[in-house]
Amino acid sequence: MSDEVLGRVLDDRARSRPDHPLLICDADTLTYSAAAERSTRLARALIALGAGKGTHIGLLYPNGAEFVVAAAAAARIGAVVVPFSTFATARELREQLVHADVRILLAAGRYRHHDYRERLAGILGVIPAPDPTTPLLNPDVPQLRHIVFDGTGLDPLTDTVGPELLAALQDDVYGSDVLSLIYTSGSTGAPKGVLHTHEALLAHQSGLNEVRGLTAADRLFCNSPFFWVGGFAYALLATLVAGSTLVCSNAEDAGATLDLIERVRPTTTNGFDAGVAHLARHPSFGDRDLSFLRRGNLYSLMAPGLRPKDRELRHNMLGMTEAGSVVLLSGDESDQPEHRRGSFGRPAPGIEIRIAEAATGAAVPAGETGELWVRGRNLMLGYHKRSREQSFEPDGWLRTGDLARVDAEGYVYFLGRRGSMIKTGGANVAPAEVEKAIATVTGGVAAHVLGLPDPERGQIVAAVLVAGDRAVPAAAALRDRLRTELSAYKIPRRFVTVPAADIPLRSSGKIDIHRLGELFDA
């Protein structure tokens, strides 16, 4: 492990390439020198509010310079960065504020249709005072003392803290100190707060950058939110470590985002391809020059000759908050042979895996399905407010809850969550396997597969098909096609087709399985 910390890495980059863009987000450009200078000023204001090593500072911002500067400012003085989802409801905001012991919340006043002043006023019972120095004393959020909207009122505080105190605090930050408290998306239960140190997160991104080839010459376009580990670590911190440029967009107009991409000419991409599908549907898309996008996994943005003919023959990747972003990946972005269909690559540097029998923890033979366990120096410290024994197995293994198998060549195949397995007539069905089969036989129709209660079989397999550019076959025709891909008991007995906008989502952006099942009652 190195003793690198975020603040010193940023300052090093600011000295070596001061005018190089760290972030380009729509019309805003943040250079490395500007990020260092602005985060230094904000750090002094935070000190004036009582922040220091270990203070939990919440960030409620969309992707952009404000998030980057605030995260760097908190990290400079050894405070803990606690990102909040911009999707969060008032209830979710309050629960995370309390559980995370947030002392200072830095927030946008509004973002799109979200009014965070109003939302937080509903939590506190009063509209937060415009003067951030006025301390909050509220039993509903007992640790919270200050809320700052859009940086208002912080400038006068900056000059009350001398450079000597800031320097002393910065010198007292070590790689083993906690950098972030990031919450899981809560897809299988209540979100858990995951603690990561500076050295673990930064070292992990360095190793991942070597695998994917991210260098100082790259411009990375990413659509992952900074409040999740993919955006915070695999995009923002990875960019900082590499000395490269991160490109993002909050534009609601697809044409504006495409204008940005054409202007900045990113060299590689990462994120969720479904999140850029609307860009490919824009009337101007066919006339755009996107030939510079030659790497990454946002295939919808790539020129036709560079897109995979079959996405299942390109290595996917698997990440998790507990592992500080990606645990399975491959630097090989070419089409793979048929026998490697569905591969998620190999373990990331510093990550050890075991495919385990869930009950005993014993490793299962190659080719057999088990639970994915991971271990390594760059994993989380643990879950906030849980003991190490509640976070890890005694020998350091983390049980992921994911089902996987590994082949004889060491390639890993993700098969879904243990809790999502469908038990039908005594047989187990992995939804991910059925979803992939549907995409294969339909030429790419997206599907969400789940189990519905059945008095005779316990559950039956059902599929929600997403209406889009590709025609969705009738149920009988689709079942017939699936017979070449799936055993009979895995073929869905019920189908429903809905527009993408009608797929129910949790505030985390993940599918709400309970409400998904309600679509079959309509």
Side-chain angles (χ1 to χ4, degrees), residues 218-299:
D218 279 307
R219 293 177 296 279
L220 168 66
F221 178 78
C222 182
N223 66 345
S224 297
F226 293 170
F227 52 75
W228 288 333
V229 76
F232 182 74
Y234 198 57
L236 178 55
L237 295 187
T239 296
L240 182 61
V241 167
S244 52
T245 299
L246 179 60
V247 184
C248 66
S249 177
N250 295 314
E252 295 186 84
D253 173 38
T257 301
L258 289 169
D259 289 343
L260 170 71
I261 293 171
E262 272 197 305
R263 173 173 63 85
V264 177
R265 299 176 68 84
T267 56
T268 187
T269 66
N270 181 252
F272 302 97
D273 194 55
V276 296
H278 69 295
L279 301 182
R281 293 194 294 267
H282 191 267
S284 71
F285 185 77
D287 298 323
R288 302 281 184 167
D289 174 16
L290 302 177
S291 58
F292 43 82
L293 283 172
R294 307 188 69 84
R295 294 160 42 214
N297 67 349
L298 297 184
Y299 300 129

Side-chain angles (χ1 to χ4, degrees), residues 371-447:
E371 183 181 5
L372 176 65
W373 291 18
V374 298
R375 185 167 66 178
R377 63 183 183 273
N378 295 327
L379 264 60
M380 65 176 180
L381 276 180
Y383 293 118
H384 185 49
K385 296 184 177 177
R386 295 191 188 187
S387 67
R388 186 167 179 84
E389 290 73 21
Q390 292 174 305
S391 303
F392 295 95
E393 294 298 300
D395 51 0
W397 288 104
L398 172 69
R399 303 179 65 145
T400 70
D402 292 328
L403 293 172
R405 64 178 176 86
V406 61
D407 66 20
E409 299 174 292
Y411 291 97
V412 186
Y413 301 79
F414 170 72
L415 302 174
R417 297 287 296 172
R418 280 187 61 204
S420 69
M421 289 294 282
I422 301 166
K423 191 83 167 180
T424 178
N428 289 322
V429 177
E433 180 186 8
V434 182
E435 290 165 359
K436 289 177 181 178
I438 291 172
T440 298
V441 303
T442 60
V445 171

Side-chain angles (χ1 to χ4, degrees), residues 167-341:
L169 283 169
Q170 290 185 130
D171 288 344
D172 193 38
V173 181
Y174 293 86
S176 57
D177 290 330
V178 175
L179 166 59
S180 63
L181 170 54
I182 300 180
Y183 279 76
T184 63
S185 57
S187 57
T188 58
K192 298 184 287 291
V194 175
L195 296 163
H196 279 288
T197 65
H198 287 256
E199 61 187 0
L201 274 183
L202 295 173
H204 190 39
Q205 305 322 306
S206 179
L208 292 170
N209 284 352
E210 289 186 19
V211 175
R212 63 171 166 166
L214 187 70
T215 70
D218 279 307
R219 293 177 296 279
L220 168 66
F221 178 78
C222 182
N223 66 345
S224 297
F226 293 170
F227 52 75
W228 288 333
V229 76
F232 182 74
Y234 198 57
L236 178 55
L237 295 187
T239 296
L240 182 61
V241 167
S244 52
T245 299
L246 179 60
V247 184
C248 66
S249 177
N250 295 314
E252 295 186 84
D253 173 38
T257 301
L258 289 169
D259 289 343
L260 170 71
I261 293 171
E262 272 197 305
R263 173 173 63 85
V264 177
R265 299 176 68 84
T267 56
T268 187
T269 66
N270 181 252
F272 302 97
D273 194 55
V276 296
H278 69 295
L279 301 182
R281 293 194 294 267
H282 191 267
S284 71
F285 185 77
D287 298 323
R288 302 281 184 167
D289 174 16
L290 302 177
S291 58
F292 43 82
L293 283 172
R294 307 188 69 84
R295 294 160 42 214
N297 67 349
L298 297 184
Y299 300 129
S300 294
L301 296 181
M302 290 184 173
L306 297 173
R307 295 178 204 164
K309 294 180 179 179
D310 184 338
R311 298 185 187 199
E312 287 300 302
L313 294 180
R314 294 278 177 97
H315 292 295
N316 207 323
M317 66 177 66
L318 180 70
M320 58 187 67
T321 310
E322 292 86 344
S325 71
V326 175
V327 293
L328 301 174
L329 79 166
S330 174
D332 182 356
E333 295 192 344
S334 64
D335 289 345
Q336 298 300 299
E338 182 63 34
H339 72 271
R340 212 171 284 156
R341 173 182 291 276

Side-chain angles (χ1 to χ4, degrees), residues 5-23 30-40 68-69 72 76 170 216 239-244:
V5 298
L6 191 154
R8 287 198 281 275
V9 173
L10 175 56
D11 289 344
D12 287 345
R13 298 289 178 269
R15 283 189 290 268
S16 63
R17 44 182 20 207
D19 298 326
H20 192 79
L22 164 60
L23 179 77
L30 180 71
T31 65
Y32 278 96
S33 60
E37 190 276 332
R38 287 176 57 182
S39 63
T40 297
V68 175
V69 169
R76 278 187 180 282
Q170 290 185 130
T239 296
L240 182 61
V241 167
S244 52

Side-chain angles (χ1 to χ4, degrees), residues 42-52 77 104 161-162 165-167 169:
L42 179 55
R44 291 166 66 182
L46 292 174
I47 295 168
L49 289 177
I77 57 175
I104 300 170
V161 174
L165 178 56
L166 173 61
L169 283 169

